Amino acid sequence: RIPFMENKAITPIQQFGILRHEFPESLGTIQCGTMTWFGEFTPSALSDTYKLKITYKLGQAPKAFIISPKPLQLAEGAKRLPHTYNYSNGKQQLCLYLPGTGEWRPSMVIAQTIVHWAVQWMYYYEIWVSTGKWMGGGHGNWDAEKQEDNIS
């Protein structure tokens, strides 16, 4: 939390500076007022490494994507990834909060919210792939429907 910024929107340049400070190995750019940032995360000791892309432009909500591995594996019986925006073009954009509810505001630090929520998503995604059960909360039922083996 940055107390002096509590009610002021944090600009993409400021967000980028904070992200680079918090995650020194990360990369990114700012072009035409839009921040594009990349970081790699391994959510647990047994996890794969995921490459996360976050884009942010003042006045718009940040967007978080898993760009590697791609495509992400589905749980057995699942038709789509849990808590993602369903883009037919193959973008793996994560749904990390309910838009319009104030769960994320422009005065919040992306490094302390969106990044952490994305890493939590990665962690729960791995559980979901192996069990078919979404344990990460949020809206809707994302449990996969496994096909029962018919033994005759």
Side-chain angles (χ1 to χ4, degrees), residues 6 26-27 61 72 77-78 88 100 102-103 122 132 138 150:
E6 245 170 64
S26 67
L27 302 169
L72 288 167
S88 57
E103 288 182 294
M122 295 168 199
N150 292 329

Side-chain angles (χ1 to χ4, degrees), residues 57-83:
K57 184 176 180 99
L58 205 54
Q60 298 178 6
K63 295 178 182 172
F65 304 86
I66 302 292
I67 59 170
S68 175
K70 189 173 182 179
L72 288 167
Q73 179 183 345
L74 295 178
E76 182 183 332
K79 302 217 183 328
R80 61 174 286 200
L81 293 168
H83 290 285

Side-chain angles (χ1 to χ4, degrees), residues 7-82:
N7 294 315
K8 285 186 72 169
I10 303 172
T11 68
I13 291 171
Q14 292 168 320
Q15 293 281 14
F16 184 72
I18 296 166
L19 284 161
R20 291 283 292 128
H21 179 267
E22 294 294 317
F23 307 101
E25 301 297 316
S26 67
L27 302 169
T29 61
I30 299 194
Q31 293 181 329
C32 302
T34 298
M35 176 199 83
T36 303
W37 177 85
F38 301 92
E40 289 191 357
F41 296 93
T42 306
S44 77
L46 301 174
S47 292
D48 286 334
T49 297
Y50 298 86
K51 190 164 188 181
L52 177 67
K53 172 185 174 184
I54 296 175
T55 61
Y56 177 61
K57 184 176 180 99
L58 205 54
Q60 298 178 6
K63 295 178 182 172
F65 304 86
I66 302 292
I67 59 170
S68 175
K70 189 173 182 179
L72 288 167
Q73 179 183 345
L74 295 178
E76 182 183 332
K79 302 217 183 328
R80 61 174 286 200
L81 293 168

